[in-house]
Every structure is written in C-alpha cells, then in structure tokens.
Amino acid sequence: MQLAVWTYEGPPHVGAMRVATAMEGMHYVLHAPQGDTYADLLFTMIERRGKRPPVTYTTFQARDLGKDTAQLFQDAARDAIERFKPQAVMVGASCTAELIQDDPAGLCDAMNLPCPVIPLELPSYQRKENWGAAETFYQVVRHLADQSIRPRGEGRKLANILGPTALGFRHRDDVIEVRRILDALGIDVNCVAPLGASPADIARLGAADFNVVLYPETGMEAARWLEKTFGQPTIRTVPIGVGATRAFVREVAALAGVDPAPALDGDGSRLPWWSRSVDSTYLTGKRVFIFGDATHAIAAARIAQDELGFVVCGLGCYNREFARELREAAALYGVEPLITDDHLAVEDAIAAASPELVLGTQMERHIAKRLRLPCAVISSPVHVQDFPARHSPQMGFEGANVIFDSWVHPLVMGLEEHLLTMFREDFEFSDDAGASHLHAGAPKAAAPQQALAGDTIDTLWTEEAERELKKIPFFVRGKARRNTETFAADQGRAAIDIATLYDAKAHYAR
Amino acid sequence: MSGGVAHAPAGGADCAPVLRERGQREVFCGLTGIVWLHRKMQDAFFLVVGSRTCAHLLQSAAGVMIFAEPRFATAIIEERDLAGMADCHDELDRVVTRLLERRPEIRTLFLVGSCPSEVIKLDLAKAAQRLGTQYAPQVRILNYSGSGIETTFTEGEDACLAALVPEMSALPAGSPTELLVVGALPDIVEDQFMRLFAELGVERVGVLPARRACDLPPVGPDTLFLIAQPFLTETAMALENRGARHLEALLPFGAEGTTDWLRAAAHAFGVDDMHFNRVIAPGRERAKRAIAHSREKLEGKRITFLPDSQLEVPLARFLATELGMVPVEVGTPYLNRRLVGRELALLPAETRISEGQHVDRQLDRVRADRPDLTVCGLGLANPLESEGLSTKWAIELVFSPIHGFEQAGDLAELFARPLRRRDVLRV
C-alpha cells in the first residue's frame, strides 16, 4: 500500500474518459460502483464543458453484488446505445469492477450490439491516467482504422495530428497553432484525434502521409501502430518553444518535401526580442526548478536555458513511462533527474535546490506558495484557471509568446529587484510586502510560525551573520543561506560569521 | 414524542406515492464526507483504504485543502496487495505506523472502507481493533465505510458518527436529562444554537461530533437528541440502541424550521411557552426579515431537486412554506420518513417525490418540466445551463452555514443568486 494525500494522475479509466469525452459520436460504458461519477465534474467544471461526458456508469451498489452485476452491465450498455446512438462504444471496468471480474468485452460479444465495440483492459492497480488515455486511444485506432485506406502519396500532403484529449493542458489552443503551421506549409490536415474526431474520422486515419504527435503521453502508442500498419512516419518533435518550433517546421517540411520558409518567415514570434531586450537582462542565470509530465518538463528546460537564459537547477516528471527521455534531458543540464509521483519528494527536492522560480503543475504551485517562491504552471494536473477563456497555447510561435509572459510575470521585476537590494530595510519592499504587482504574494495572512524558505537558521550562524542574512532580499535568501552553509562546511569553519557570509558570496559570485 | 407541534395540514406530500427509481446514479460516495468531517473534528485523521480512484476523488472534492496538511489520506491498494504478495494487514499496520509517527497529534484515527477494500473483503473492523489495542490509550482507532457501494455522499457522515456512538461513555441511569445535538454543524451555527439553549434554560447540551473526537458527550436513557441533519439514519438508530430518545421536529432551516426544532427541545425540557417565545422572538424576526429579501425573486418559481444529500426534502419544505416556491420534483437518494416525515407533510400535495435515480430518465423529466431552477450536482450543472436551464449546485448546501435563524437569509440567497445572475447578465 502506498500512503498518498495527492496523486498527480487519476486512475487509468479517467484517461479513457479523456479520450471518450474528446471524441464525437463515441460512448463509454464503464462498469463502476456508485460514486465513480465524480470524474464527470473534472470535465464539466475544470474544463467547463457544456455537455455531460459521454460515459454511462453502471453504478452498482452493495445490494447488486449478490445478484448479477453482469446483467446490470449488459442492461446499461443496451440502454446507452439505444439512447445515445453512438457510432462506436468503448467498454471497460473501473478499479472496483476489475475486482468483481465481470468481463465487459465478453459480455458485449454475447450481445450483438449494433455498433463496433472497443474493449479496454486498463489495470487500475498498476497503471495511471496518462497510460490509460494512451492505451484507450491505441485501442480505438486499432479497432476503427480502415486498413484498406492507404496514404495517397501524391498532391498536397496530408497529416494526422495525434494526442490532444479532453482535460489536456492547453490542448485546445495548441491544435490551432499546429494547424496554422501546417497550413502555412501547404499541408492539409486529414484528422485531429482524439480531440474532435468521430469514429468515422478515425476510420480514415490511413489516408494521411504522416503523423504529428503533439503529446507522446497520450498519442505515441497509436502513432507506433499507425507507423507499422500504414507506413506513416511520425514527427516526434514537440513544438514548445521557439527553437523546438523551428525544428518542428523544418522536420515537417523535409518530410513533406515542401519549403519551410513560409512558416518560418515573419513567424510572429516576439519571444526572441523580448528575451534580448535589456529589461530581461536580470533574468540571466536565475535558477529554475522544473517538474511536470515529461514532455512539458523537457520542453520547458530547453526554453529556460536557451531562450530565457535561466539555469535549470532541477528537472523531473511524475510519469514513469517517460523516465528514459527525462533522464537524457537531465543529463544535458547536469542535474539529477527526479522521477517520482510522490509530491513530498518533489517538495523536498525543491527546498533543497532553492530555485528562484518553480515551473510545474498545480501541486508545485502550492509547494512554491508554501516556500514563498515564484511559480508558473507548465503541465497537468491543473485547476480551472489553467483552462482559460483567452487563446493561450503552449505550442508554436504564439505559444512561445504566451510562455514568455507567464513565466516572467511571477518574478519580481528588474528595477524592483534593484531597489530591494539597495534598500534592504525598505518597509514597503520588504519580506512582508512581496512583489508589488502580485498582491497574492503578500504573505500577511500566513501563519506567524511559517518560516520563510531559508529563514530557519542553523546554530552555526552567529547572531550578527543571521541579521545580515535577513537583509538579503527574500527571493534569493534561501540560496544565499545554503551556499554559505555549504561553503562553511567545505572550508571546515565551525561558525558562520559575517566574514563567512561574504567569503561565500565571493566564492559563488556569478 | 410529538414535540407539541400542530399537525400538518391535510393533503401534504406525505401520503403521495414515491417514485422509486433504479439505474445510473450521478452521486458522490460517502468518502466525500471526509472533506468537511476532518475540519470539524480537529484531532481526528481519516485514512481511506482504497484505490487511486479514491485518492483522486478526495483531491477533486477537497481542491485546495490538500495542501494545508489535511488530516486525511489514502492508503492506495497496489497490485502486490491484491496478488497476495503482501499481506494487506501487515501493509496497513506499516502505513498506520508511519502515519502516526509523522502526525503524533492525532487522537482518533478512522480507517475508512472503500469499494475496493470491501470487495476484497479486507476486514477493517478487525484491523481497527488490532491497531486500537496497540495504540491505546494515545490513539483511538475506529472504522466505518464510506464506499460508494454502501453509502451516498452525506451518508458517509452518518456512518462516521454511528461509529462514534459506541465510544460515548454511559450517562449513569437517573442522571438529569441531557440534550444531544447530532450532526456536524459549522462552528458558528453550533455556537448560536448553544447560546439559544442556554437562554432557554436547557443547560446540559452535548454535540456529536464534538470538535475534539476525544471529548465525546455521554449517552444513555436520560438523553434526548435532536438531529440537525436529515441524513443521520444509522446514527439515530445507534443512539436509540443506547437508550437515547429522538425528538421529532422539522429540521432547523429557515424561521419556521428552526422554531419547530428548538420548540421540540424546549417542550421536552419543560420550558414555559412564554419564555420560549421571548427567547426566540429576536432571532425569528431577523430570519423572517432576511428571508424577505429573496422572496421577490423566488416566489412562484418552480424548482426541481435532483438527489444528492438527503437535504432535498427539508430544503424544498423551507422554499415552499417560507418563500412561496413551487416544488416540481424533489429527488432524494434515500427517504427516511421517520426523520423527514413532518417535512413531507408540509410539501404541496402535487409535489413529485422520487427516491433513488435513473439519471437519464430524470433528466428527461427535468427537460419536460422546465423548472425555473434545478438543484443538482456539478457533473450536471453546466450541461443543464448550456441547455438554458438555471441551476443551483447542490454541494454548496453541504459546504455552507445554512442552519438556524441567522443563516436563513443566506440560505434563501443561495437559491436566489443564480436567478438574479441570469437576469443581470447581458451577454
């Protein structure tokens, strides 16, 4: 048993729901106990969908267990098909139904249902949400793709865009950006799936010349099968960041045999100039800790280092399926890869790294709040505010613009940083005030015993040095304390006095 | 005990046939009760033994609270536990030990059963007993079920409180009569009621749950209890099994409901009528004044309740008798006539009462009825809004202070607000 307060991912059947809800004309009959319908409100509330997810739950109760839950499942499936008339139906079990061992697939075989049935085997006690979405999408494609349809291989090239789902972080707007790029290159989109696709659309996947996988976590499994079955090559570069987007454009253009220029010239990318302009100089070398799903974390690390001039001081992901990719990326930045789904381990790693900015999920947002560090969200899981009304992609050149703004926003602005450093006793620019443009950062409401990150002073410190440390602005104090203590330990100094503090400062000078 | 309240007018909904439905249900399981119970009992910790789904539900329901070091968690069953590679009881002992080491301030630990733990027949009662002897007297370890197969939403609180009843000490026979108020109420509401009971001269009043689970009130044949929530079926039976007697009354919603509820206690304790009226008059007047603000918006409006928390019948009664609303259908996950019979009698005779749910058929009725306001869960609210039906999301009624005189206006406002919003928006 694993003791958990928070889980980064839901169970795998929630991943299946994300695929079903993304699609049109698809229905999911889920063998599940009463109460599992809570998952509906992820879609209706967090994503603000105006329709119920196309999921029929059998919602069995204790009194049904002695009877025939199998019959209950068959009735639910028949009723759902009659009422909703889907083009295809997915059937499966949630964690509890997995234990009672009714076999949804077998039960449907016996029923002669009037539409294709896609049975899902989602082991709830080993796997999680992203895997569930990937496996579900793969099964949908494998069952529905018409194998007699082949890439036409002439005229304008056709592409499938794979991976966007319901409840995906910025999936809605990423698709718009990627379509815009393909359009500029003169490439037509055959099908976007699962988001917005019907079973009839899935049947025609084979017509495309190649596949673009936007989110490996949910789309790669299906792409591999399509590659094998239809010989469609896969574009694996994820276009998050200016550099990655340029690479993506060149890769797609080379594969399609078209000129990349139309998508690269006048690309609308403001990030490079924003990042080169002098007011961004203070961003140089800021230490950033990155955690999320592997795809977004790896992309963020590249942007952080190459496009904003940050230093990556921590990199991790919660989905083990992509641990290899994350380890390779961590090696590029010379940091220890953190692969864990335990938020307490992430919190410890962040506290130990003392970053100046945290990029992560909703979880890291809360961790950063507790440690009083600036933070921006780059990956699921996210709350309702990260399903915004405005266009806010992460992908493509517009995505890069969005990323620049949203990552820089939480940081204290350059001039303010100077003033904080010059006037350390300033009563308005003090620890208790936080950054002036972030009223939420004002920690007045925080419990008095809540120490600042970096305020718990080791007994090594002399009182004088401790006072001096407190004059250092709060957003870099944690790092100063750690550096000084490390330095003192390396030097074998028994106490930390003012001299040690400044010796350490000189030693670590950037 | 009748509590001396006048009998209901003839022709209430209490004799009408109840539409009993089976089918797909769009409701929470009892685990959700942990979200407010852990705030109420400050020394208690709730450990769910379940799957990743249970943990996911709790974090979806608890939202932001997850990060304030909440006093609940899930011991997630893994494949090793199912395959018999690990002994579930050893694993549970390990998790509990780790938990109690990390949180030494815990005095009561609830092992909460879930669908998976019940289907694999993990005996949590035995585990609670075994661990209980190990950790006594520092920590009391109890068990109840919050599983979806056994409980619907607020029934989780019922199961939790019923598990506390055997732990209450015995009130010695022949003690002066004591009053017990049952149901987790917001602290502010509980304090208001306590002040009123003190003014009435009812001196010995206990509450279940107490703010600290280790301070449980005593119970015995000299206990009279009032239920503050309609969903406490099991708890009421457990208290009666210990000799306590239930005071029948309306639930304390609105001016009338609160008056009736207080009067039941006042009568049982022999409080003089004149004195009773004097004590409650100011609060009752304030409640009526506050309710009047919403009356214009709500009078004559038709309302449907989809089943959620068992608060539906008493709230429909409040809206009908005190605000002039017209209940069309009142759905409840479970109808206990002993606890809400008086409320039923006050509903208009033509109200359709339904128990249980077949969600698609029920939504068909909502679309046919087209009520002005539909009270429903968050899984249905936005979809109904997008069909042009105004909704009030039901969970807020469990998560807001709504009982008693001083909250009567707020309660009415909860229903008036979505209608007012619909009228102010010009987009």
Side-chain angles (χ1 to χ4, degrees):
Chain A
M1 290 182 193
Q2 181 202 355
L3 183 62
V5 173
W6 171 278
T7 152
Y8 281 98
E9 296 184 74
H13 71 261
V14 169
M17 283 181 72
R18 287 176 52 189
V19 172
T21 306
M23 293 180 68
E24 306 287 332
M26 175 64 84
H27 202 83
Y28 183 19
V29 182
L30 179 62
H31 206 14
Q34 168 179 276
D36 279 6
T37 52
Y38 81 87
D40 281 357
L41 58 89
L42 303 170
F43 300 92
T44 59
M45 296 303 292
I46 296 179
E47 207 177 11
R48 275 184 240 254
R49 285 182 174 260
K51 284 219 290 255
R52 292 173 64 204
V55 183
T56 293
Y57 306 78
T58 52
T59 53
F60 55 83
Q61 292 173 267
R63 61 183 173 209
D64 302 313
L65 291 178
K67 287 184 280 189
D68 199 356
T69 46
Q71 186 62 49
L72 200 69
F73 178 84
Q74 289 185 313
D75 293 346
R78 198 175 290 107
D79 289 354
I81 288 172
E82 204 168 302
R83 178 176 281 271
F84 299 106
K85 303 196 166 45
Q87 293 175 32
V89 63
M90 302 171 358
V91 299
S94 80
C95 53
T96 304
E98 191 183 326
L99 298 170
I100 60 175
Q101 299 187 329
D102 290 334
D103 168 24
L107 290 170
C108 287
D109 277 351
M111 288 172 68
N112 267 328
L113 293 170
C115 64
V117 175
I118 300 149
L120 299 176
E121 287 284 337
L122 305 175
S124 308
Y125 297 90
Q126 312 164 19
R127 300 298 199 156
K128 303 197 201 72
E129 181 181 331
N130 275 322
W131 185 90
E135 169 68 14
T136 300
F137 184 42
Y138 159 70
Q139 292 294 352
V140 166
V141 169
R142 210 173 59 100
H143 277 84
L144 299 177
D146 181 343
Q147 298 207 25
S148 67
I149 297 176
R150 291 284 145 176
R152 52 179 189 189
E154 59 197 29
R156 277 171 74 102
K157 289 283 187 256
L158 264 183
N160 296 318
I161 297 177
L162 305 180
T165 62
L167 215 63
F169 176 66
R170 309 296 170 89
H171 288 197
R172 176 195 71 192
D173 299 340
D174 284 351
V175 170
I176 293 170
E177 289 306 310
V178 171
R179 288 190 85 124
R180 186 176 294 167
I181 290 172
L182 294 178
D183 197 39
L185 292 171
I187 294 164
D188 291 332
V189 174
N190 178 50
C191 175
V192 178
L195 190 62
S198 68
D201 297 330
I202 300 286
R204 300 201 36 79
L205 280 177
D209 298 293
F210 62 97
N211 292 310
V212 174
V213 175
L214 297 191
Y215 310 101
E217 274 84 357
T218 50
M220 197 52 90
E221 211 51 48
R224 273 196 208 102
W225 183 83
L226 290 166
E227 196 156 2
K228 213 168 58 205
T229 309
F230 296 97
Q232 296 165 332
T234 310
I235 299 287
R236 284 183 162 77
T237 302
V238 175
I240 300 181
V242 173
T245 301
R246 286 176 184 158
F248 171 83
V249 168
R250 292 199 182 94
E251 195 179 343
V252 171
L255 184 62
V258 296
D259 178 12
L264 293 174
D265 300 342
D267 54 32
S269 174
R270 297 190 192 92
L271 180 146
W273 169 241
W274 254 244
S275 202
R276 284 175 189 281
S277 64
V278 293
D279 50 334
S280 297
T281 308
Y282 82 106
L283 300 174
T284 314
K286 276 206 182 292
R287 303 168 73 260
V288 54
F289 189 101
I290 301 170
F291 192 85
D293 70 35
T295 296
H296 285 91
I298 292 166
R302 178 175 173 181
I303 300 170
Q305 180 174 282
D306 298 351
E307 301 178 18
L308 290 169
F310 292 152
V311 170
V312 176
C313 69
L315 181 61
C317 72
Y318 55 76
N319 49 338
R320 283 175 199 289
E321 291 86 356
F322 289 80
R324 193 162 43 92
E325 288 83 344
L326 190 109
R327 284 200 188 93
E328 285 165 8
L332 294 178
Y333 306 100
V335 292
E336 195 59 40
L338 176 67
I339 292 135
T340 179
D341 61 355
D342 177 355
H343 65 102
L344 295 172
V346 179
E347 180 157 10
D348 292 346
I350 291 176
S354 303
E356 292 157 89
L357 174 67
V358 177
L359 301 175
T361 71
Q362 196 53 40
M363 301 285 312
E364 285 66 47
R365 178 182 283 182
H366 286 280
I367 290 169
K369 191 162 129 193
R370 202 164 28 215
L371 299 174
R372 297 205 41 216
L373 296 167
C375 176
V377 170
I378 59 159
S379 157
S380 290
V382 294
H383 271 329
V384 67
Q385 68 269 40
D386 277 304
F387 286 93
R390 68 184 180 277
H391 184 60
S392 18
Q394 299 286 291
M395 288 185 180
F397 296 114
E398 182 56 25
N401 296 341
V402 169
I403 285 173
F404 181 91
D405 290 346
S406 52
W407 292 10
V408 171
H409 175 80
L411 297 167
V412 174
M413 286 176 282
L415 180 59
E416 191 166 347
E417 189 172 302
H418 284 294
L419 292 171
L420 278 165
T421 312
M422 283 172 60
F423 306 107
R424 285 167 192 176
E425 304 289 324
D426 187 304
F427 69 100
E428 281 173 332
F429 274 163
S430 68
D431 296 358
D432 298 338
S436 64
H437 65 304
L438 301 171
H439 61 88
K444 288 197 174 59
Q449 72 267 27
Q450 251 191 351
L452 276 182
D455 263 9
T456 39
I457 297 291
D458 210 286
T459 45
L460 284 177
W461 290 73
T462 66
E463 213 169 303
E464 214 177 10
E466 203 176 309
R467 265 203 307 277
E468 195 70 8
L469 180 71
K470 289 242 165 103
K471 294 177 190 167
I472 295 172
F474 58 85
F475 47 86
V476 286
R477 195 182 305 151
K479 183 164 62 94
R481 180 175 68 87
R482 254 178 19 103
N483 283 351
T484 310
E485 287 173 4
T486 310
F487 177 79
D490 289 350
Q491 300 269 313
R493 300 196 190 185
I496 296 174
D497 53 12
I498 289 196
T500 314
L501 178 69
Y502 285 120
D503 286 347
K505 184 170 189 278
H507 178 80
Y508 289 104
R510 289 173 178 169
Chain B
M1 313 225 15
S2 76
V5 175
H7 276 288
D14 54 334
C15 314
V18 171
L19 178 62
R20 286 205 169 70
E21 291 211 286
R22 297 289 313 271
Q24 193 195 330
R25 296 169 69 124
E26 185 89 19
V27 288
F28 280 132
C29 65
L31 294 180
T32 326
I34 292 171
V35 174
W36 66 89
L37 285 170
H38 89 282
R39 303 301 334 157
K40 185 70 194 175
M41 295 186 236
Q42 296 163 8
D43 57 347
F45 193 100
F46 293 78
L47 179 65
V48 176
V49 182
S51 64
R52 182 168 302 282
T53 309
C54 307
H56 196 235
L57 157 79
L58 277 177
Q59 82 185 36
S60 305
V64 162
M65 277 197 290
I66 292 283
F67 300 94
E69 274 288 316
R71 282 172 281 98
F72 60 83
T74 309
I76 297 181
I77 297 170
E78 292 166 308
E79 210 188 11
R80 325 175 22 246
D81 306 303
L82 296 175
M85 287 151 66
D87 181 277
C88 278
H89 284 282
D90 293 348
E91 285 290 296
L92 192 57
D93 291 12
R94 185 179 57 78
V95 168
V96 167
T97 303
R98 195 180 142 208
L99 178 66
L100 293 176
E101 277 167 3
R102 268 197 65 210
R103 308 293 295 271
E105 74 284 7
I106 298 167
R107 323 276 341 126
T108 304
L109 174 66
F110 290 99
L111 301 180
V112 188
S114 67
C115 300
S117 75
E118 277 161 32
V119 167
I120 62 172
K121 304 230 176 343
L122 181 55
D123 192 344
L124 291 181
K126 190 183 269 176
Q129 216 169 21
R130 183 184 64 244
L131 286 158
T133 47
Q134 191 181 328
Y135 287 100
Q138 281 79 26
V139 190
R140 171 196 286 149
I141 301 187
L142 302 173
N143 147 256
Y144 74 90
S145 167
S147 72
I149 55 179
E150 295 282 358
T151 58
T152 304
F153 194 25
T154 47
E155 286 174 351
E157 176 176 334
D158 190 25
C160 175
L161 301 191
L164 284 170
V165 172
E167 302 294 313
M168 296 161 83
S169 60
L171 183 64
S175 303
T177 309
E178 296 205 355
L179 178 66
L180 181 63
V181 175
V182 191
L185 291 169
D187 292 348
I188 186 169
V189 176
E190 190 179 295
D191 293 343
Q192 290 165 8
F193 285 151
M194 290 301 140
R195 283 199 297 270
L196 282 167
F197 286 128
E199 279 181 69
L200 287 169
V202 180
E203 280 156 18
R204 280 173 294 277
V205 188
V207 290
L208 179 69
R211 289 180 203 186
R212 295 176 54 77
C214 53
D215 301 335
L216 290 171
V219 65
D222 296 302
T223 303
L224 298 174
F225 67 93
L226 275 174
I227 59 155
Q229 300 280 22
F231 45 75
L232 298 171
T233 299
E234 297 289 327
T235 309
M237 285 201 315
L239 289 167
E240 283 169 337
N241 288 342
R242 301 219 30 200
R245 280 171 301 146
H246 172 223
L247 298 173
E248 274 186 34
L250 293 178
L251 283 139
F253 296 124
E256 302 301 339
T258 306
T259 302
D260 191 68
W261 190 76
L262 292 167
R263 189 187 287 126
H267 270 250
F269 282 80
V271 176
D272 171 72
D273 271 346
M274 293 287 285
H275 178 62
F276 175 78
N277 290 335
R278 243 196 327 273
V279 168
I280 67 145
R284 185 182 161 85
E285 287 316 306
R286 277 197 299 271
K288 283 182 180 280
R289 269 205 309 278
I291 289 171
H293 291 302
S294 300
R295 192 169 180 108
E296 185 198 348
K297 222 10 142 220
L298 296 176
E299 197 164 15
K301 294 285 194 302
R302 299 159 67 251
I303 186 165
T304 282
F305 283 84
L306 300 191
D308 187 62
S309 63
Q310 298 182 50
L311 288 163
E312 298 82 7
V313 169
L315 291 177
R317 191 278 310 159
F318 160 70
L319 294 169
T321 61
E322 304 193 34
L323 285 146
M325 288 191 89
V326 181
V328 179
E329 175 169 352
V330 179
T332 181
Y334 176 71
L335 185 67
N336 181 341
R337 285 175 183 277
R338 268 203 54 210
L339 301 188
V340 299
R342 292 157 72 100
E343 312 269 357
L344 271 181
L346 294 174
L347 286 175
E350 55 278 8
T351 309
R352 188 190 310 134
I353 308 290
S354 62
E355 184 183 16
Q357 191 175 37
H358 182 300
V359 70
D360 288 311
R361 281 210 287 268
Q362 192 162 36
L363 289 173
D364 289 343
R365 292 199 298 274
V366 169
R367 290 174 188 125
D369 294 335
R370 292 206 71 82
D372 298 293
L373 193 62
T374 304
V375 183
C376 62
L378 291 175
L380 299 173
N382 274 334
L384 286 174
E385 290 279 350
S386 76
E387 293 181 32
L389 289 154
S390 288
T391 61
K392 160 83 215 89
W393 52 284
I395 298 131
E396 199 177 5
L397 301 163
V398 177
F399 287 177
S400 314
I402 59 172
H403 297 71
F405 291 136
E406 315 305 349
Q407 284 67 235
D410 303 341
L411 177 56
E413 161 67 9
L414 283 179
F415 294 92
R417 193 179 302 146
L419 295 179
R420 206 172 52 244
R421 179 166 184 81
R422 190 193 57 194
D423 295 345
V424 299
L425 292 181
R426 293 276 176 269
V427 288

